[in-house]
Amino acid sequence: MTDIQRSCIDCATGGCKSPEQGRQPVFCESAALSAEERAGLAAAYTDLDLRLEQAANEVAARCGREGLCRLEEIMDFARRMGFRKLGIANCGAMQAEALTTAKILRLHGFEVFGVSCKFGSVKNGEIGVPEGGMAKPEATACNPLAQAARLNEAGTELNVIMGLCVGHDSIFMRHSDAPCTTFAVKDRMLADNPVAAVRTCGTAAYRWSRLLREDESLSV
Ligand code: SF4
């Protein structure tokens, strides 16, 4: 623990939100930025980034006023961006949920094109995945690159991720032309609610959490 480089995850001040109050910790890199560096960060936003930022802020503000579930937020965000054609990149294990999602999106006026993870029916051996774990050469590969390529070809304007495995989602996001947003994440142990692993720390559930066995400091 002594060698860790402290960063925002080690800070509980929230001082960067109101820097004039001087609550940033000594290791705060934000407080150490020069005026030029700060200006450079601001200037890095492209026109698309700025539109995405504005739409995201408007959705968050509306959610604060009215209360929106995540799916409503995605629809509101897409409308504000002028996105009509939405892609769904889903895990095959979430096919039923993806179908219902598509029905809802279509009911609300969106065009939906979905690509499931085994698209292409390519075998692990064919794409050269090293053997190991679940990646048997003769098994059909999870194919996030093909999901992205097909959605790119379909011209989707916003790609909605549903349940892609950790890492497969990384490949998908690397290759998606359209901006991506996550609707559902897969957690095989926690009913697709991964944050439960950390929100239960300090609760009775913590007693059987295996995530913090080596650090009792978070125990209440
Ligand atoms: S930027 Fe500074 S004040 Fe903000 S969370 Fe990071 S360390 Fe804390």
Side-chain angles (χ1 to χ4, degrees):
M1 293 290 281
T2 51
D3 293 335
I4 61 170
Q5 179 183 8
R6 289 190 291 176
S7 62
C8 292
I9 54 166
D10 305 296
C11 170
T13 70
C16 46
K17 187 177 179 187
S18 306
E20 64 282 358
Q21 296 177 3
R23 291 186 287 112
Q24 296 104 316
V26 288
F27 58 83
C28 178
E29 294 185 8
S30 178
L33 287 173
S34 67
E36 292 74 25
E37 288 170 323
R38 206 177 307 280
L41 292 175
Y45 277 77
T46 65
D47 288 345
L48 174 61
D49 293 326
L50 290 173
R51 289 181 56 225
L52 293 166
E53 174 88 2
Q54 182 181 10
N57 292 345
E58 289 171 353
V59 171
R62 182 179 169 205
C63 189
R65 290 191 307 272
E66 303 172 30
L68 302 175
C69 72
R70 179 85 182 195
L71 186 52
E72 289 172 314
E73 286 191 312
I74 290 172
M75 290 192 286
D76 194 42
F77 177 72
R79 281 194 202 98
R80 291 176 192 277
M81 287 299 299
F83 295 152
R84 207 189 143 266
K85 185 165 184 176
L86 307 187
I88 293 180
N90 67 285
C91 172
M94 229 181 246
Q95 192 69 29
E97 293 88 343
L99 175 59
T100 304
T101 302
K103 283 181 181 171
I104 293 169
L105 293 172
R106 284 170 175 154
L107 269 175
H108 286 79
F110 293 99
E111 186 181 346
V112 181
F113 190 86
V115 184
S116 190
C117 65
K118 297 290 197 281
F119 180 83
S121 305
V122 176
K123 305 299 181 193
N124 283 314
E126 291 179 84
I127 59 175
V129 179
E131 196 169 346
M134 292 171 65
K136 303 292 181 215
E138 66 280 11
T140 304
C142 288
N143 201 342
L145 193 150
Q147 285 179 288
R150 185 65 191 93
L151 290 175
N152 293 345
E153 187 180 70
T156 53
E157 297 168 287
L158 175 70
N159 289 332
V160 178
I161 295 173
M162 292 191 65
L164 297 185
C165 298
V166 171
H168 294 148
D169 57 356
S170 309
I171 297 170
F172 178 79
M173 286 185 267
R174 272 171 50 77
H175 292 276
S176 170
D177 286 345
C180 301
T181 192
T182 301
F183 175 36
V185 284
K186 176 190 289 169
D187 191 316
R188 296 175 178 88
M189 296 301 292
L190 295 172
D192 299 324
N193 179 24
V195 78
V198 290
R199 291 221 172 120
T200 54
C201 292
T203 70
Y206 166 78
R207 309 287 176 229
W208 47 263
S209 170
R210 62 187 178 210
L211 295 176
L212 295 167
R213 264 183 202 152
E214 294 177 6
D215 185 355
E216 294 294 320
S217 64
L218 290 177
S219 181
V220 291

